[in-house]
């Protein structure tokens, strides 16, 4: 049947006859597809950008080994040990020693022209033959430079400085005056040729390793870094080994690739979750709209379908005819949505990169550029899935077309029969069920039962979460059902109130009568508005107070009480930082005070705490206390001021100052796992309490002696001896770690309120004497800086000054400056951007409801042509008819909007309350400030749009003369 041309020709002609209805249906049906495709394009752009950036700037480089323990470079024997390590050969890991530095590149100007310069350029000195074997896909490395004073320059560096092969470029480091080299080749950035050293470098310059070594001031055979490639195993995927699998006492591992991928994944999944939430509801609303369009189409075709059945067409043939027309409508909407969604997604990606990426980079040094990317296959797949779902709905509704009763329909005329209504007992049951659902949700909100169930949800048991979510959504649907039924029964009261504002009673009566007859249609249109506004209002209710709180408290974010911190690995690196601050005029002006802190970890056990645990310790000194912005949560009664309490810890090894987290018992942390409770107090501690501590050594992060021999070939006897050695050494280490090295009794001078840091959290502030006694038994985790932190007191309000400080440290080779307040501002900026995208997408989703209302009202004018003619004949004027259409649309649209606002508010409040009770007990409370302005603005805009949308059918109904209305009906 579908192969018949006449079927498709009839379907096309029917769509052309109803141009306005067809256009509205295509627009409404395309909105949901547009939003989903836009989200897919936006998400795919993140994915593509990350892979493109990683491939361009890392290629095969998986890890970078850098010197530690006060070394500026690897000595020759250390490089040989790394490169020749047997484990590398066994795992298939290739290595490449390089000389790396950050420098300023300068292009000399011609007479009368100025110079061009670029800071933070990454300069790599390498053996080109070895580099070609390390990165065989980079063709630029296959031939060595013909002279030492030549360089290979990446495309980005060449574009920035205007360089071409044969030009001269100067390289200026902190050690030497400018040294000039000739550009031998300009190459595409890929792997080594585009490597970035983590300092927002704008480009890469490759030199011969001997020339670079002299430029860096290194001795023969020394290197500043060793690159390690991913294993040669073809089944290995980037990221399978999240950390470098071997350990060298003289080397630290930098995994910039993993950091970049983690940053991108955070962005990608953050936006994906928001877009999935918005588009999920947009898809549901879109499917409801298409279903409603098809049902309206069926109602309008009911008489012609009955005629076709009367002249002998079978039900299956009628179904095919309806499906052909509906299929064309759906296909047009899906194709239009896919094209529009591709353009919208591309535009959003461009907008993000143009207006947001620079701000985020400025605040947090996130430098992965977002590139719009559009894949036809990726767009076609979700579009095809949506098309299949909608076509299935059309086929299902087409089955109803074949079941249209012939005689009843022909008697009823245009618009068909009102359809089967549920019986009185069914309506009564639905009302009681609706009351029960609404009451259950209100109980959840008012009593807090819903919040408690949400707090009980765990990944292994999502039943509490699903129960609250399901009750919330079902209650919103139930309340809408009650509102539509209840409003119809309050018609007389509305009628009396309408007289006061000049609305004719007959307009009120007729406005409620027709939607009540078409309750299923009215409910579907109102539900579209309700669904969208429920989710929109919920997110506004939750997000706005949270964003206000985080932005207001951004400046309070510190590192150990200081605005900024720079980690260092050794005393030599600390001396370099001190010298830089002392000699640089800009840093001298911008940094008000600086101090060093060298925290360490110590294993201790105490009856006051829940088992043996690792504790973060730091030794107080006067330089640190001078500018540290620390507030005591409470102090011992013997001290009259905070200063006295701090001085007691500084002067005496009998006192300790604890982070305020220790003022709470383990049981005060209901969401903590058993592992995270380790080290927390058994009971709440008070200032002035004494605690007895037993100190233990920890050797877990020191390599075993047998590790360097494990990969060499062995005989069976040697393997048995090696296994025996391993067991003995492991047992000896376990014995040492369980042997106490000291016992101390300390008195709590007070509890300090400060940010819990990512690395050294929940600090203990101890006296210099305590530190001198036990520092040798302390240790650092692999990610901890082995030296400590250089703390800086700077003005956080001076963003330009902060940026200048960052650039100065970057040029000096320090790229790890940590400024929590700026990072919080970056997160806040990202949150605001994400919030704006969410609101924009949801407002576009409102168009789905608008389209449904417009189509329903347009169809109502045609279906009620006879009634309109009769009303005109009996003397009802145009004003009353216009009021009738306006009131109908307002009742349906506004009821859905305010129902969504009501339940969105309750859902957002529950989510906010859950976040509040889930916060640690030492975290400051977040005040709930309902965003009245934002919610009211969105609701009023939607209400105004819904009202204006009904002006058109009201005017159209009045344009028909009584005779013309009867002609249209017939």
């Amino acid at each position: 049947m579908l192969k018949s041309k006449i079927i498709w020709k009839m379907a096309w002609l029917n769509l052309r006859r109803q141009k306005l209805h067809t256009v509205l249906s295509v627009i409404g049906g395309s909105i949901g597809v547009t939003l989903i495709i836009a989200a897919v394009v936006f998400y795919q752009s993140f994915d593509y950008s990350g892979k493109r950036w990683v491939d361009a700037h890392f290629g095969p480089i998986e890890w970078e080994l850098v010197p530690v323990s006060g070394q500026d470079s690897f000595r020759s024997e250390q490089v040989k040990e790394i490169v020749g390590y047997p484990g590398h050969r066994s795992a298939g890991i290739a290595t490449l020693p390089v000389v790396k530095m950050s420098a300023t590149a300068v292009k000399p100007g011609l007479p009368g022209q100025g110079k061009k310069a670029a800071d933070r350029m990454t300069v790599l000195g390498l053996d080109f033959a070895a580099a070609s074997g390390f990165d065989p896909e980079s063709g630029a490395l296959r031939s060595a430079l013909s002279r030492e004073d030549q360089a290979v320059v990446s495309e980005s560096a060449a574009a920035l400085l205007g360089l071409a092969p044969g030009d001269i470029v100067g390289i200026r480091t902190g050690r030497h005056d400018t040294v000039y080299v000739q550009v031998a080749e300009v190459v595409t950035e890929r792997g080594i040729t585009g490597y970035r050293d983590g300092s927002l470098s704008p480009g890469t310059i490759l030199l011969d390793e001997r020339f670079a070594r002299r430029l860096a001031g290194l001795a023969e055979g020394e290197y500043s870094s060793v690159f390690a490639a991913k294993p040669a195993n073809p089944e290995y995927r980037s990221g399978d080994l999240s950390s470098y699998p071997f350990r060298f006492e003289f080397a630290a591992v930098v995994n910039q690739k993993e950091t970049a991928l983690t940053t991108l994944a955070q962005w990608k999944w953050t936006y994906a979750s928001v877009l999935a939430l918005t588009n999920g509801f947009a898809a549901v609303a879109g499917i409801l709209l298409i279903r409603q369009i098809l049902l309206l189409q069926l109602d309008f075709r009911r008489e012609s379908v009955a005629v076709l059945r009367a002249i002998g067409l079978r039900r299956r043939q009628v179904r095919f005819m309806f499906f052909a027309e509906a299929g064309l409508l759906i296909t047009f909407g899906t194709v239009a949505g896919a094209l529009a969604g591709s353009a919208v997604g591309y535009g959003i990606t461009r907008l993000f990169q143009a207006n947001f990426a620079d701000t985020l980079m400025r605040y947090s040094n996130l430098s992965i550029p977002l590139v719009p990317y559009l894949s036809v296959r990726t767009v076609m797949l979700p579009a095809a899935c949506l098309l299949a779902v909608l076509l299935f709905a059309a086929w299902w509704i087409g089955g109803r077309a074949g079941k249209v009763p012939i005689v009843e329909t022909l008697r009823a005329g245009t618009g068909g029969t009102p359809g089967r209504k549920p019986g009185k007992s069914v309506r009564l049951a639905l009302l009681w069920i609706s009351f029960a659902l609404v009451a259950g949700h209100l109980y959840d909100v008012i009593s807090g039962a819903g919040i408690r169930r949400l707090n009980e949800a765990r990944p292994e048991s999502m039943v509490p979460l699903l129960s609250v979510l399901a009750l919330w959504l079902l209650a919103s649907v139930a309340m809408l059902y009650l509102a539509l039924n209840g409003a119809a029964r309050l018609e007389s009261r509305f009628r009396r109130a309408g007289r006061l504002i000049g609305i004719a009673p007959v307009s009120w009566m007729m406005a409620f009568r027709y939607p009540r007859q078409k309750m299923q249609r009215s409910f579907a249109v109102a539900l579209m508005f309700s669904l969208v506004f429920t989710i929109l209002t919920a997110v506004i209710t939750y997000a706005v107070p949270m964003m206000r709180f985080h932005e207001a408290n951004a400046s309070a974010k510190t590192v150990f009480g200081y605005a900024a911190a720079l980690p260092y690995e050794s005393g030599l690196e600390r001396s370099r930082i001190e010298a830089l601050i002392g000699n640089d005029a800009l840093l001298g002006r911008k940094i008000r005070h600086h101090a060093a802190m060298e925290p360490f970890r110590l294993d201790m056990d105490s009856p006051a705490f829940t088992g043996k645990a690792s504790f973060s310790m730091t030794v107080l000194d006067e330089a640190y206390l001078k500018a540290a912005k620390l507030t005591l949560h409470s102090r011992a009664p013997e001290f009259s001021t905070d200063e006295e309490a701090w001085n007691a810890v500084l002067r005496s090894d009998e006192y300790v100052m604890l982070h305020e987290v220790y003022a709470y018992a383990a049981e005060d942390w209901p969401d903590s796992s058993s592992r995270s409770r380790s080290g927390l107090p058994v009971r709440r501690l008070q200032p002035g309490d004494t605690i007895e501590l037993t100190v233990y050594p920890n050797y877990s992060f020191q390599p075993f002696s047998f590790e360097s021999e494990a990969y060499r070939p062995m005989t069976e006897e040697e393997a048995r001896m090696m296994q025996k050695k391993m067991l003995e050494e492991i047992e000896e280490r376990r014995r040492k770690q369980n042997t106490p090295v000291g016992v101390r009794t300390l008195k709590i001078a007070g509890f300090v309120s400060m940010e819990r840091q990512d690395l050294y959290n929940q600090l203990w502030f101890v006296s210099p004497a305590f530190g001198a006694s036990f520092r040798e038994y302390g240790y650092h985790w692999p990610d901890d800086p082995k030296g400590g932190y250089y703390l800086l007191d700077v003005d956080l309000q001076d963003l330009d000054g902060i940026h200048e400080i960052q650039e100065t440290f970057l040029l000096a080779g320090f790229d790890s400056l940590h400024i929590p307040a700026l990072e919080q501002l970056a997160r806040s900026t990202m949150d605001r951007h994400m919030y704006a995208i969410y609101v924009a997408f949801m407002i576009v989703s409102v168009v789905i409801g608008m389209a449904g209302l417009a189509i329903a009202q347009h169809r109502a004018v045609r279906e009620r042509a006879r009634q309109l003619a009769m009303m005109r004949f009996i003397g009802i004027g145009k004003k009353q008819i216009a009021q009738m259409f306006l009131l109908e649309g307002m009742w349906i649209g506004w009821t859905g909007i305010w129902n969504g606002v009501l339940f969105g508010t309750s859902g957002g409040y529950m989510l906010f309350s859950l976040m509040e009770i889930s916060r640690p007990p030492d975290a400051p409370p977040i005040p709930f400030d309902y965003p009245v302005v934002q919610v009211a603005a969105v609701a009023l805009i939607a209400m105004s749009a819904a009202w204006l949308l009904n002006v058109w059918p009201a005017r159209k109904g009045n344009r028909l003369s009584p005779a013309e209305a009867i002609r249209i009906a017939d």
Side-chain angles (χ1 to χ4, degrees), residues 871-891:
M871 292 169 66
R872 296 291 303 280
F873 274 128
I874 64 176
I876 297 178
K878 290 184 177 182
K879 180 180 179 181
Q880 287 85 354
I881 291 176
Q883 289 176 346
M884 177 189 70
F885 277 106
L886 288 173
L887 290 173
E888 279 181 18
M890 289 165 56
W891 175 41

Side-chain angles (χ1 to χ4, degrees), residues 386-401:
L386 286 169
L387 180 62
V389 171
L390 296 176
L391 288 177
F392 174 78
W395 179 257
W396 175 68
I397 294 175
R400 298 176 61 175

Side-chain angles (χ1 to χ4, degrees), residues 933-949:
V933 175
Q934 290 86 342
V935 173
V938 173
L940 289 175
I941 291 172
M943 290 168 63
S944 301
W947 179 80
L948 290 173
L949 203 63

Side-chain angles (χ1 to χ4, degrees), residues 656-878:
V656 64
M657 189 75 73
L658 301 181
H659 190 282
E660 67 175 316
V661 71
Y662 295 105
Y664 302 91
E667 62 183 15
D668 294 330
W669 304 73
D671 291 330
S672 302
S673 64
S674 58
R675 182 175 181 179
S676 63
R677 291 182 183 220
S678 178
L680 291 175
V682 175
R683 60 171 181 81
R684 288 195 176 194
L685 297 176
Q686 302 293 330
D689 288 353
T690 57
I691 49 177
E692 184 177 330
L693 305 171
T694 304
V695 183
Y696 295 87
N698 188 307
Y699 305 104
S700 301
F701 300 99
Q702 296 181 11
F704 288 99
S705 63
F706 55 76
E707 288 186 21
S708 59
E709 306 176 33
Y711 290 94
R712 67 177 178 82
M714 298 182 189
T715 63
E716 188 174 342
E717 179 62 25
E718 287 176 329
R720 282 197 298 269
M721 295 299 294
M722 175 62 68
Q723 184 178 15
K724 180 180 179 182
K725 180 180 180 180
M726 291 170 61
L727 294 175
E728 290 176 351
E729 193 166 341
I730 292 172
E731 182 61 32
E732 176 64 16
R733 175 171 292 187
R734 184 181 295 115
R735 185 191 65 79
K736 287 183 177 180
Q737 291 190 158
N738 290 320
T739 302
V741 294
V743 177
R744 284 288 189 276
T745 300
L746 299 178
K747 189 173 184 179
I748 302 174
F751 296 100
V752 59
S753 299
M754 62 183 297
E755 290 286 328
R756 282 183 289 152
Q757 310 302 323
D758 294 333
L759 293 177
Y760 289 99
N761 58 0
Q762 304 169 16
L763 272 175
W764 291 43
F765 292 90
V766 296
S767 66
F770 184 95
S773 299
F774 295 106
R775 181 179 287 276
E776 62 177 303
Y777 303 109
Y779 60 95
H780 300 89
W781 287 348
D783 292 334
D784 297 345
K786 302 302 182 291
Y789 296 90
Y790 213 84
L791 306 176
L792 310 176
D793 180 26
V794 296
D795 183 7
L796 292 174
Q797 304 301 319
D798 182 11
L799 292 180
D800 291 332
I802 294 292
H803 191 57
E804 291 175 339
I805 292 173
Q806 289 176 315
E807 286 191 334
T808 303
F809 278 114
L810 286 172
L811 287 174
F814 299 102
D815 57 4
S816 301
L817 185 63
H818 179 39
I819 308 177
L822 293 192
E823 292 163 9
Q824 179 59 50
L825 285 175
R827 284 190 290 270
S828 297
T829 305
M830 190 172 182
D831 289 343
R832 283 206 167 273
H833 182 263
M834 185 169 55
Y835 171 77
I837 288 181
Y838 170 83
V839 172
F841 268 64
M842 292 305 294
I843 288 176
V844 173
S845 300
V846 175
V847 178
I848 297 175
M850 298 293 180
L853 184 60
I855 293 168
Q857 293 296 82
H858 168 68
R859 184 64 66 198
V861 173
R862 299 187 64 89
E863 287 181 348
R864 299 157 69 182
R866 281 197 180 98
Q867 291 92 327
L868 291 175
M870 187 62 66
M871 292 169 66
R872 296 291 303 280
F873 274 128
I874 64 176
I876 297 178
K878 290 184 177 182

Side-chain angles (χ1 to χ4, degrees), residues 190-265:
R190 196 230 167 263
I192 293 177
T193 58
Y195 185 76
R196 298 290 191 263
D197 64 358
S199 59
L200 298 182
S201 172
T204 307
I205 299 176
L206 305 182
L207 302 173
D208 179 83
E209 65 175 18
R210 290 166 295 183
F211 186 84
R213 192 177 288 118
R214 291 196 299 271
L215 189 63
L218 302 182
E220 184 66 27
E222 292 186 349
Y223 293 89
S224 53
S225 299
V226 176
F227 292 156
K230 62 184 179 182
N233 184 350
E235 298 182 356
Y236 174 83
R237 294 175 300 172
S238 181
D240 282 352
L241 292 176
S242 59
S243 58
Y244 181 69
F246 309 111
R247 287 189 290 183
F248 298 95
E249 293 183 357
F250 50 83
V253 179
V254 178
N255 193 344
Q256 294 189 53
K257 178 186 285 189
E258 183 185 14
T259 302
L261 291 173
T262 301
T263 300
L264 191 76

Side-chain angles (χ1 to χ4, degrees), residues 107 147 150-151 153 163-169 181-186:
K107 180 186 178 182
R147 302 197 315 267
Q150 288 185 324
V153 180
L163 296 173
D167 288 348
I168 301 298
V169 60
V181 294
Q182 184 183 45
V183 178
E185 188 177 359
V186 175

Side-chain angles (χ1 to χ4, degrees), residues 192-495:
I192 293 177
T193 58
Y195 185 76
R196 298 290 191 263
D197 64 358
S199 59
L200 298 182
S201 172
T204 307
I205 299 176
L206 305 182
L207 302 173
D208 179 83
E209 65 175 18
R210 290 166 295 183
F211 186 84
R213 192 177 288 118
R214 291 196 299 271
L215 189 63
L218 302 182
E220 184 66 27
E222 292 186 349
Y223 293 89
S224 53
S225 299
V226 176
F227 292 156
K230 62 184 179 182
N233 184 350
E235 298 182 356
Y236 174 83
R237 294 175 300 172
S238 181
D240 282 352
L241 292 176
S242 59
S243 58
Y244 181 69
F246 309 111
R247 287 189 290 183
F248 298 95
E249 293 183 357
F250 50 83
V253 179
V254 178
N255 193 344
Q256 294 189 53
K257 178 186 285 189
E258 183 185 14
T259 302
L261 291 173
T262 301
T263 300
L264 191 76
Q266 178 186 359
W267 284 18
K268 187 168 61 176
W269 288 111
T270 299
Y271 282 94
S273 61
V274 172
L275 295 175
L277 178 65
T278 58
N279 294 326
F281 278 85
V284 172
I287 292 173
L288 285 175
L289 175 61
I290 291 296
R291 175 184 177 275
Q292 193 59 35
I293 290 173
L294 297 179
L295 290 175
L296 287 170
Q297 192 79 348
L298 175 59
D299 282 346
F300 186 71
R301 293 274 181 271
R302 192 176 288 270
E303 187 175 6
S304 60
V305 167
V307 171
L308 292 174
R309 292 278 288 117
I311 63 176
L313 266 68
R314 296 190 300 273
R315 290 183 175 181
R316 188 166 179 269
Q317 293 172 316
V318 172
R319 183 178 203 172
F320 278 123
M321 293 176 66
F322 181 85
F323 178 75
E325 184 176 340
L328 285 177
L329 202 62
I330 290 170
T331 302
F332 292 154
T334 304
V335 172
L339 294 175
S342 300
V344 170
Y346 197 90
I348 289 176
T349 308
R350 282 285 188 193
L351 187 66
F352 179 95
Q353 180 64 17
N355 298 334
F356 179 68
D358 289 344
T359 301
L360 192 61
M361 183 188 298
R362 181 179 178 86
Y363 281 145
S364 61
N365 290 351
L366 299 177
S367 57
I368 301 175
L370 184 60
V371 179
Y373 180 72
L374 184 63
S375 168
V376 176
R377 174 187 291 183
T378 308
V379 170
M380 288 181 63
L381 181 61
C385 293
L386 286 169
L387 180 62
V389 171
L390 296 176
L391 288 177
F392 174 78
W395 179 257
W396 175 68
I397 294 175
R400 298 176 61 175
K403 299 177 182 178
V404 170
I406 300 173
V407 177
E408 294 179 11
T409 302
L410 292 177
R411 285 177 178 172
T414 302
T417 60
R420 184 181 303 173
K421 294 183 178 180
K424 183 177 180 180
S425 59
V426 174
R427 291 200 303 271
L428 188 61
L430 288 175
L431 287 173
W432 278 110
I433 291 173
S434 298
F435 273 120
L437 289 171
V438 173
H441 176 66
L442 289 176
Y443 175 78
D444 272 355
V445 175
I446 296 172
S447 69
I451 299 169
R452 288 192 295 271
R453 292 208 306 280
L454 287 173
N455 196 37
E456 293 169 359
R458 296 291 181 272
E460 61 274 10
S461 176
M462 301 300 291
V463 174
L465 171 65
L466 295 176
S467 67
V468 176
L469 181 62
L471 183 58
W472 174 52
L473 293 176
L474 290 174
S476 69
V477 176
M479 187 66 206
L480 184 63
Y481 179 78
L482 292 174
L484 291 176
N485 280 276
R489 286 160 176 77
L490 296 174
E491 174 194 323
S492 60
R493 298 187 180 182
F494 286 131
R495 200 185 311 162

